[in-house]
Amino acid sequence: MDLRNDLYGREGGNTGDRPGRAYRSAALLGEGMDRTERFYKIDQLLNDRRSVPMDTLIEELGVSQATIKRDLDYMKDRLNAPITWDRVLRGYRFEQSMPNASKYNLPGIWFNSQEIFAL
């Protein structure tokens, strides 16, 4: 039996009772985004929407809930992202009234000419 088939629940398992399993499996197989890409995608989702539920983050990023929580904690603690959980909206959002919220900005990604050419 193929590892991919086993992890996705085909040929030998059912993932119907565990909806997040396929996303965790994609991350294990190296199919998810890298960490920097996830930070930028999280930032984009939070800027584009009023709030973002965990299920949407899991679906958009293709990683586990635990990975998303680690990413959100890192963004809050190290990058000073004003991310908060909104109980009423049942999702994550940017809270502009938090201290240093106006100073938050993801660092730019700069490429040299060879890297741009490669893209």
Side-chain angles (χ1 to χ4, degrees):
M1 178 176 16
D2 178 317
L3 175 65
R4 181 181 300 264
N5 288 339
D6 182 42
L7 289 172
Y8 278 100
R10 296 178 225 138
E11 292 188 346
N14 180 0
T15 61
D17 60 332
R18 298 176 69 191
R21 185 172 181 191
Y23 298 114
R24 286 192 295 276
S25 301
L28 288 173
L29 293 170
E31 296 172 6
M33 298 178 186
D34 74 10
R35 192 173 195 197
T36 303
E37 288 177 292
R38 290 195 311 268
F39 291 162
Y40 280 91
K41 184 66 173 179
I42 290 168
D43 184 73
Q44 177 186 15
L45 289 168
L46 293 175
N47 276 309
D48 291 348
R49 302 175 187 200
R50 188 170 173 204
S51 76
V52 183
M54 179 59 78
D55 290 342
T56 301
L57 290 168
I58 290 170
E59 182 178 326
E60 292 283 334
L61 301 173
V63 294
S64 71
Q65 180 175 341
T67 297
I68 292 170
K69 286 184 177 184
R70 282 191 299 271
D71 288 349
L72 292 172
D73 287 341
Y74 184 90
M75 289 177 73
K76 288 189 284 188
D77 297 341
R78 301 285 177 97
L79 302 174
N80 298 313
I83 300 171
T84 187
W85 170 259
D86 190 308
R87 266 192 244 180
V88 175
L89 298 173
R90 300 194 49 78
Y92 291 94
R93 65 182 178 85
F94 281 135
E95 175 60 62
Q96 296 306 321
S97 65
M98 291 177 82
N100 297 324
S102 61
K103 295 179 182 178
Y104 166 73
N105 200 3
L106 282 179
I109 297 179
W110 302 101
F111 299 102
N112 65 36
S113 60
Q114 292 174 340
E115 292 168 331
I116 291 173
F117 182 74
L119 292 173

